[in-house]
Amino acid sequence: MVHRWGRPPLSCRPCREKKRRCDRNQPCSNCNLRKIQCEYGLCERPRASPARTVSSSGKSTTLSTPPGAVLNAEEVLNRLNNLEQAVFNRPSQASPRFGIEKTIARVGQGFSPSDFTPFGLHILSPSPDDASLDLRYLASQLPPVGQARELFNHFALTLHQTFGVLHIPSARDLVEQAYESMLARGEPDVAQLLLLFSIFAGSAFAWNAQLLEKLSTTQAEAQAAFKAYTHLATSILDSYHSLPSSTTALAAISTLAHVITNCDGFPLKIHLIRMRCLLMARAMQIHRLDTAKSREERKHKGCNLIEIEVQRRVWWNMVAFDWLHAFSGGPQEGAYIHQPKHMNVDYPSNVDDEFITPTEVHSLPLSTPTTMSAFIERVKLSEICREVVDAMPSILLESQPEYHVILALDEKFQNYLDDLPVFLRLDRNSIRKSYAICSERPNIIWQRIGINFSVHTRICRLHMPYHLEGMTNQKYAYSHRICVQSAQTVLELRRLMDDAETAVKPTRSWTVTQHSFLAALILATDVSFNPNSPDAEARKAKVLAAYRTLEKSKEESSGLVEVIQRNMQTLMSTLHRQHSQRTNVSYAASEETVANGQSSGNSRDPITSMASIPVSADEWLQGYSLMSTEKVGDENVAQLWSDFLAAAPELGAPQWNSLLDNMDFCFDPSVS
């Protein structure tokens, strides 16, 4: 073997390492295609091939690139753009990699417009699992500035209508400033990145046909972008534990918490994020925002009133969520974190964002519609829910309060409905009076539906323990009547959500689906106990319509399907246990019957079928689940309804109340 140590290699280092055929250009075709840095050693760089031209005198002239010449950033980016156009038939479709970033870092400090990852590309380049991400990589995953503007505008028109924390003009300016800073200096701010990813995740979550058309993308790409932006935002919180406290960071965490509350992929993360928001707010002394001492300090030192308003919104959004969910079902039922005696924060001003300046804020009467009207009414409703939790006995006592307490709490809800501004009321006269307002402000329609949906859901929960007993006991007749009426209202409002131009598709909302399911069960149990009532058929139709509507959720979220299906299985399993107890048919005897090949009962009776074939009980429940992965036709739904009505009377009122109280509306962390 002869070693020629003096002969320098002619191929580039990446091609030698990967044993590829190198064309010895600078950069070579292999490195150019893979968008990696093409490196030749100091003694390895091939000389540029001379180009010969013929002058007018007939003499040949040799033109060559000077040895050691380095391409500038503009030439590198132009070549990258040309390659992207040739491969993807549209510019800037390849996600940036660290190789090109290192090349740019040598010759310039800022980003180029082509360094950002387009909205639709996240389906091809998922985010890494490693949470320890540097800021430059995180910034490279943002969409180009043109798409960022479209996503922000879509967020402001859709999801922010149910949120209301951000000051939209200031947030829009922050988006522009963040991109200008990255393009000029390449130094992204971590709090700004967190806010941008949270906003863009919310916009992708609330995608509609108009957004897809504007971005020339698809539903699958929007869903992939939502997952990518959410993952990147949560990775920032995981990686940067010492995130500096600021109004921007506080608004960013609050936005992210709102976005993923209804997402089925973060069952535990949401609680950690909300606790992070609370800890930062306390560190910033937001809970003392409007004490006499704080007001005096602001008067002497000065302040930005826009930031003060955003801080009030963040605080009350956090508190309202806590108090509303303390009376909303689930494991957090009956408990809350925020103690009203431990805070001194005024309500946010009832004024449109455009009229809030750093030096001046003029709050309008609550009878005047603004972008903050529904936000303030939601806070007032949450205070009633806190009063309900305080008035109820401790969950450890497992006893019902005196009935006069229930009636007093109901009166608070009824007074709340009566005191709503005319443009948020549901009666026909109020709707007619507010027609002009709704024409000018279409978001009022969605806010009216959302506020009343939340109120009547809580009224159902308040009277649910008494609504069946009220059918036979005149003392509780009011609870039976008002519970059924509110359940019907909830299902009617759910139908209106599909008809109205709502901010977010209700089939994607976990909270909407949870409350709709409970209202449908209340009506179903009521009809099963009173099948001959004059309006029984109408109620059957409402429940059937509600079940068909709930079935549509499987097109938007597999998590919603799994949870509702689990509740239906719990329902039918309870019916099965009651039937077994009443007929004294033990599980062992049923197993022996199946083993002997004997048949018992009518095969069309679901309860009898389950008792006689215990081995396939799970399959039976799967088949009878309204959230089955198979499409449920009208005939199957009607059969299920008939079976349900036939089986439901086997339960007494106490068993029904216990069953409805223990409906599991929580995601299983092991599943997700």
Side-chain angles (χ1 to χ4, degrees):
M1 180 180 295
V2 179
H3 295 278
R4 294 183 175 86
W5 299 105
R7 179 182 297 176
L10 300 181
S11 59
C12 67
R13 181 181 56 80
C15 287
R16 292 200 310 277
E17 291 178 352
K18 299 298 182 180
K19 293 182 172 52
R20 302 188 185 99
R21 184 184 296 276
C22 183
D23 59 11
R24 305 172 187 175
N25 290 326
Q26 175 65 17
C28 73
S29 59
N30 291 327
C31 295
N32 200 1
L33 178 63
R34 292 168 175 79
K35 302 173 185 61
I36 60 177
Q37 188 173 1
C38 188
E39 296 180 354
Y40 291 89
L42 194 58
C43 61
E44 301 173 13
R45 186 186 304 275
R47 295 184 178 181
S49 302
R52 296 184 176 274
T53 61
V54 180
S55 64
S56 58
S57 61
K59 297 180 180 181
S60 62
T61 303
T62 300
L63 302 177
S64 62
T65 303
V70 179
L71 296 174
N72 59 32
E74 183 178 358
E75 292 171 334
V76 172
L77 294 173
N78 285 338
R79 292 190 179 191
L80 177 62
N81 286 331
N82 291 337
L83 177 63
E84 290 172 341
Q85 290 178 0
V87 174
F88 294 96
N89 197 26
R90 54 180 179 177
S92 304
Q93 289 299 302
S95 59
R97 294 291 182 263
F98 287 105
I100 187 62
E101 289 178 4
K102 290 180 180 178
T103 303
I104 297 173
R106 292 208 313 261
V107 295
Q109 296 298 321
F111 280 83
S112 167
S114 62
D115 293 332
F116 300 106
T117 303
F119 180 81
L121 196 68
H122 290 285
I123 196 172
L124 302 176
S125 55
S127 302
D129 293 331
D130 184 12
S132 58
L133 306 171
D134 63 51
L135 292 180
R136 191 171 181 86
Y137 172 78
L138 290 169
S140 71
Q141 299 303 298
L142 291 169
V145 64
Q147 293 184 349
R149 294 187 183 110
E150 292 291 349
L151 290 171
F152 180 87
N153 292 335
H154 183 71
F155 176 85
L157 293 174
T158 55
L159 200 63
H160 194 259
Q161 301 296 329
T162 65
F163 182 44
V165 167
L166 301 181
H167 180 259
I168 293 299
S170 297
R172 181 178 285 108
D173 292 342
L174 186 144
V175 173
E176 297 291 339
Q177 293 169 7
Y179 273 87
E180 289 176 3
S181 174
M182 288 183 287
L183 291 171
R185 299 185 299 275
E187 299 176 357
D189 178 81
V190 61
Q192 291 180 349
L193 282 179
L194 179 58
L195 180 60
L196 293 179
F197 281 125
S198 300
I199 291 174
F200 298 155
S203 188
F205 174 76
W207 64 266
N208 56 23
Q210 291 79 8
L211 179 67
L212 299 184
E213 182 178 357
K214 289 179 180 178
L215 298 181
S216 300
T217 188
T218 64
Q219 174 181 340
E221 291 175 338
Q223 292 171 341
F226 164 69
K227 293 180 181 178
Y229 294 149
T230 305
H231 174 79
L232 291 167
T234 54
S235 296
I236 291 176
L237 289 179
D238 293 338
S239 300
Y240 297 90
H241 297 289
S242 58
L243 182 67
S245 299
S246 66
T247 303
T248 299
L250 201 61
I253 299 175
S254 183
T255 303
L256 179 62
H258 179 76
V259 169
I260 69 173
T261 293
N262 287 319
C263 174
D264 58 353
F266 299 84
L268 297 179
K269 183 76 71 175
I270 179 60
H271 301 294
L272 299 178
I273 293 175
R274 291 193 178 277
M275 184 55 65
R276 186 84 174 266
C277 188
L278 172 60
L279 294 177
M280 181 177 289
R282 285 179 175 172
M284 296 174 63
Q285 300 289 293
I286 304 298
H287 60 296
R288 302 178 180 177
L289 190 62
D290 290 304
T291 61
K293 181 180 178 180
S294 299
R295 289 180 178 275
E296 192 67 21
E297 289 179 355
R298 290 200 296 267
K299 183 177 180 180
H300 284 85
K301 297 180 180 179
C303 66
N304 186 329
L305 293 182
I306 294 178
E307 286 202 1
I308 299 299
E309 281 298 311
V310 172
Q311 290 173 6
R312 289 192 182 110
R313 295 177 182 184
V314 169
W315 180 262
W316 279 111
N317 176 74
M318 184 169 50
V319 172
F321 178 88
D322 182 29
W323 291 349
L324 285 170
H325 282 254
F327 188 52
S328 187
Q332 73 279 4
E333 177 88 13
Y336 57 84
I337 298 174
H338 298 82
Q339 171 57 247
K341 296 180 180 180
H342 299 166
M343 65 180 76
N344 191 338
V345 185
D346 291 344
Y347 281 177
S349 300
N350 185 44
V351 61
D352 291 329
D353 287 350
E354 292 76 11
F355 301 105
I356 302 177
T357 68
T359 59
E360 191 175 28
V361 179
H362 292 297
S363 186
L364 300 172
L366 295 180
S367 58
T368 303
T370 70
T371 54
M372 293 301 297
S373 296
F375 184 100
I376 296 173
E377 294 298 336
R378 178 173 177 265
V379 172
K380 293 167 65 177
L381 175 61
S382 72
E383 292 182 326
I384 300 178
C385 291
R386 175 181 54 79
E387 293 176 7
V388 171
V389 173
D390 291 341
M392 293 293 193
S394 171
I395 192 172
L396 299 177
L397 299 179
E398 296 183 349
S399 60
Q400 292 295 337
E402 295 292 336
Y403 189 60
H404 67 84
V405 175
I406 299 297
L407 296 179
L409 295 173
D410 174 81
E411 186 177 4
K412 291 180 179 292
F413 284 114
Q414 300 302 330
N415 290 338
Y416 173 86
L417 290 172
D418 294 338
D419 293 339
L420 282 174
V422 64
F423 51 86
L424 293 179
R425 296 179 189 173
L426 274 182
D427 60 280
R428 293 184 178 180
N429 189 37
S430 298
I431 292 176
R432 185 173 61 255
K433 289 181 179 179
S434 57
Y435 179 80
I437 295 176
C438 294
S439 299
E440 181 182 355
R441 297 173 176 267
N443 62 302
I444 291 292
I445 299 176
W446 166 251
Q447 293 177 354
R448 178 168 59 203
I449 293 174
I451 287 293
N452 285 275
F453 187 88
S454 296
V455 177
H456 285 282
T457 296
R458 269 73 189 189
I459 293 176
C460 282
R461 297 200 66 85
L462 180 66
H463 291 280
M464 195 167 58
Y466 305 95
H467 86 287
L468 288 181
E469 191 172 354
M471 300 177 71
T472 56
N473 190 337
Q474 188 61 29
K475 177 181 178 181
Y476 306 115
Y478 175 78
S479 287
H480 170 257
R481 177 171 57 84
I482 202 68
C483 189
V484 170
Q485 287 180 358
S486 291
Q488 291 176 326
T489 302
V490 168
L491 296 183
E492 178 62 19
L493 290 171
R494 174 61 185 85
R495 185 190 65 80
L496 290 177
M497 290 179 186
D498 288 330
D499 297 340
E501 292 292 331
T502 53
V504 181
K505 284 189 175 182
T507 50
R508 300 177 199 167
S509 173
W510 164 239
T511 305
V512 170
T513 303
Q514 167 192 345
H515 295 328
S516 300
F517 180 75
L518 186 62
L521 279 184
I522 289 174
L523 282 190
T525 57
D526 185 73
V527 176
S528 70
F529 273 81
N530 193 9
N532 298 321
S533 63
D535 59 344
E537 292 301 322
R539 294 184 189 179
K540 290 180 183 179
K542 287 181 181 292
V543 176
L544 284 174
Y547 284 161
R548 295 190 187 101
T549 300
L550 290 171
E551 187 195 11
K552 296 178 183 178
S553 297
K554 69 183 180 183
E555 301 172 3
E556 301 286 349
S557 173
S558 59
L560 295 178
V561 173
E562 187 271 332
V563 173
I564 295 177
Q565 181 171 335
R566 189 168 66 242
N567 281 321
M568 289 302 297
Q569 292 176 354
T570 301
L571 173 69
M572 300 308 294
S573 296
T574 305
L575 292 175
H576 164 56
R577 288 195 302 269
Q578 283 297 119
H579 182 273
S580 298
Q581 293 172 2
R582 288 172 180 265
T583 56
N584 296 321
V585 178
S586 66
Y587 183 85
S590 300
E591 200 169 32
E592 182 181 356
T593 301
V594 175
N596 295 333
Q598 297 175 355
S599 174
S600 63
N602 186 356
S603 61
R604 291 181 56 84
D605 183 356
I607 302 301
T608 305
S609 299
M610 288 182 59
S612 60
I613 315 178
V615 176
S616 60
D618 291 339
E619 296 178 1
W620 185 92
L621 291 170
Q622 177 77 13
Y624 273 84
S625 172
L626 291 171
M627 289 296 131
S628 174
T629 54
E630 298 181 359
K631 183 174 179 60
V632 180
D634 290 346
E635 294 181 359
N636 293 332
V637 172
Q639 180 60 47
L640 175 58
W641 173 252
S642 299
D643 294 338
F644 178 83
L645 290 182
E650 296 291 336
L651 284 182
Q655 288 81 11
W656 268 118
N657 292 331
S658 176
L659 176 63
L660 295 177
D661 286 340
N662 294 314
M663 282 286 102
D664 179 12
F665 291 113
C666 300
F667 291 111
D668 184 356
S670 63
V671 175
S672 34

